[in-house]
């Protein structure tokens, strides 16, 4: 009996080892004994990552979309069978009440540093957290934003949920599509100076060095004029924007103030009359879900490239 018992024990240990998955989430390592069965995602872009991996049947709901008015027709179709548990950031009680076992969120994407909902506050309730890579700058150091931030999240979600092959195929497809776009750009062109206008009139809220638009703009042949701003999404001054004189302004469209209203504010304000972007009426609109890390980032690069260089610059695209 002893050899049989030993063999069974070894087989069990091997199966357990195979079932365990460990991923890096910001400054933590998170181990999963089995794929989550009752996941919740926060925000439209994180929810789309779950959906594009085919994980809707592993979810008990989502949070943080309708409160920011970022839900479009594509998303409505994807989440119609799932409840929105909270219009904005969820409380701890909301996640516990949903019997969630997994929360996909980020810092300032459903969690606040020192807030009620964090990996530490959810751990006692058996809710594991995976943090959006772009957001890790809020709790430690990370490299400048890159397309790899988005790829990393998809691949880690693939490992966590046992759909690694699907995640790898998606990422390979995105990389190939991005290569087609960038290949068609003229490498001798001087990068265009680009300002990201998210919101705000008294002071502009924009994308700094660690925010996804910095990577999107660079992939499309531009440079974020706030590339040296050691922040993710944050507020700067209009004086800084005027001093750096952007040639193109990228407007992030979401919320109560429309993209057209944001453009009108800049075009009709005498303080911005001498900006190259305003003089030449060079504005490109990105939807919120395109400007934040997620499956629509490649579409965003294509849209930016068209806006920067014109349709003729992307032959066949």
């Amino acid at each position: 009996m002893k050899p049989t018992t030993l063999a069974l024990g070894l087989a069990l240990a091997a199966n357990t080892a195979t079932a365990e998955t460990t991923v890096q989430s910001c400054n933590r390592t998170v181990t999963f004994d089995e794929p989550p069965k009752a996941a919740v995602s926060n925000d439209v872009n994180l929810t789309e990552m779950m959906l594009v991996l085919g994980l809707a049947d592993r979810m008990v709901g989502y949070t943080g979309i309708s409160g920011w008015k970022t839900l479009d027709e594509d998303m409505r179709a994807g989440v119609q069978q799932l409840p929105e548990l909270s219009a904005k950031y969820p409380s701890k009680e909301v996640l516990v009440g949903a019997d969630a076992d997994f929360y996909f969120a980020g810092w300032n994407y459903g969690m606040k540093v020192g807030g009620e909902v964090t990996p530490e506050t959810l751990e006692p309730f058996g809710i594991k957290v995976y943090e959006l890579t772009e957001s890790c700058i809020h709790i430690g150091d990370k490299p400048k934003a890159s397309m790899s931030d988005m790829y990393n999240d998809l691949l880690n979600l693939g490992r966590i949920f046992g759909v690694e092959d699907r995640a790898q195929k998606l990422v390979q497809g995105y990389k190939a599509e991005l290569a087609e776009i960038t290949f068609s750009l003229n490498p001798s062109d001087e990068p265009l100076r680009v300002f990201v206008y998210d919101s705000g009139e008294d002071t502009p809220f924009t994308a700094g060095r660690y925010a996804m638009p910095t990577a999107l703009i660079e992939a499309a042949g531009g440079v974020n004029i706030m590339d040296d701003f050691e922040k993710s999404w944050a507020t700067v001054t209009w004086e800084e924007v005027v001093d750096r004189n952007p040639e193109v302004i990228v407007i992030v469209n979401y919320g109560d103030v429309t993209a057209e209203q944001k453009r009108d504010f800049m075009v009709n304000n005498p303080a911005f009359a001498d900006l190259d972007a305003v003089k030449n009426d060079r504005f490109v609109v990105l939807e919120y879900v395109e400007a934040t890390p997620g499956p629509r980032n490649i579409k965003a690069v294509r849209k930016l490239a068209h806006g920067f260089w014109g349709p003729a610059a992307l032959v066949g695209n």
Side-chain angles (χ1 to χ4, degrees):
M1 291 294 292
K2 285 186 178 179
T4 304
T5 303
L6 177 60
L8 287 172
L10 289 172
L12 181 60
N15 287 337
T16 301
T18 302
E20 276 193 1
T21 300
T22 299
V23 300
Q24 189 71 27
S25 177
C26 290
N27 57 4
R28 303 177 303 123
T29 55
V30 187
T31 299
F32 297 83
D33 296 329
E34 60 181 357
K37 298 183 180 69
V40 174
S41 57
N42 182 83
D43 217 332
V44 62
N45 54 317
L46 285 77
T47 301
E48 282 208 337
M49 287 195 208
M50 298 286 288
L51 295 179
V52 79
L53 288 169
L55 300 175
D57 61 344
R58 317 278 189 92
M59 299 175 67
V60 292
Y62 61 92
T63 62
I65 295 181
S66 68
W68 311 108
K69 297 186 178 178
T70 55
L71 190 65
D72 64 14
E73 289 302 323
D74 289 343
M75 276 296 296
R76 285 190 181 93
V79 300
Q80 60 186 356
Q81 76 273 34
L82 295 171
E84 183 170 44
L85 304 174
S86 177
K88 291 191 176 181
Y89 285 17
S91 65
K92 185 168 57 180
E93 286 73 23
V94 163
L95 296 173
V96 173
D99 290 326
D101 61 4
F102 177 80
Y103 185 42
F104 178 28
W107 301 103
N108 296 342
Y109 290 90
M111 298 188 295
K112 293 281 189 184
V113 176
E116 175 195 0
V117 173
T118 68
E120 291 72 28
T121 63
L122 295 179
E123 185 177 7
F125 301 97
I127 303 175
K128 293 183 181 289
V129 176
Y130 176 71
E131 299 145 281
L132 185 75
T133 298
E134 184 213 42
S135 76
C136 294
I137 189 61
H138 294 290
I139 58 169
D141 293 332
K142 75 176 290 292
K144 177 181 177 178
S146 74
M147 301 301 291
S148 294
D149 290 348
M150 184 265 287
Y151 301 150
N152 181 59
D153 290 330
L154 285 172
L155 293 172
N156 278 337
L157 288 171
R159 295 184 190 104
I160 291 167
F161 285 90
V163 292
E164 193 166 0
D165 287 348
R166 190 180 303 165
Q168 288 177 344
K169 286 177 183 176
L170 272 173
V171 170
Q172 288 168 3
Y174 291 150
K175 287 181 176 180
E177 187 177 354
L178 183 63
E180 288 178 8
I181 298 170
T182 55
F183 178 77
S184 63
L185 299 176
N186 187 345
S188 66
D189 286 334
E190 189 72 20
L192 291 171
R193 302 184 307 277
V194 183
F195 172 62
V196 178
Y197 184 23
D198 178 284
S199 57
E201 293 192 356
D202 293 337
T203 54
F205 192 70
T206 189
R209 182 175 183 81
Y210 302 104
M212 198 65 190
T214 293
L216 304 178
I217 288 166
E218 289 182 359
V223 59
N224 183 357
I225 63 168
M226 293 301 169
D227 175 65
D228 60 346
F229 184 38
E230 296 285 330
K231 296 285 185 180
S232 179
W233 295 88
T235 300
V236 295
T237 66
W238 284 119
E239 287 76 15
E240 290 173 280
V241 177
V242 171
D243 286 345
R244 299 181 185 207
N245 188 20
E247 296 169 279
V248 181
I249 295 170
V250 173
I251 294 176
V252 183
N253 187 36
Y254 71 101
D256 293 324
V257 181
T258 67
E260 190 61 29
Q261 288 171 321
K262 292 174 187 177
R263 178 191 167 280
D264 289 345
F265 166 71
M266 295 208 69
V267 168
N268 296 318
N269 192 320
F272 308 133
D274 290 331
L275 293 183
D276 286 348
V278 172
K279 285 190 295 186
N280 297 311
D281 195 21
R282 298 195 68 186
F283 293 85
V284 182
V285 176
L286 289 185
E287 299 302 320
Y288 175 90
V289 72
E290 295 171 333
T292 50
R296 296 200 214 183
N297 287 160
I298 308 303
K299 176 183 177 183
V301 173
R302 188 184 302 278
K303 186 185 288 189
L304 290 174
H306 273 278
F308 293 175
W309 310 111
L314 297 179
V315 179
N317 289 317

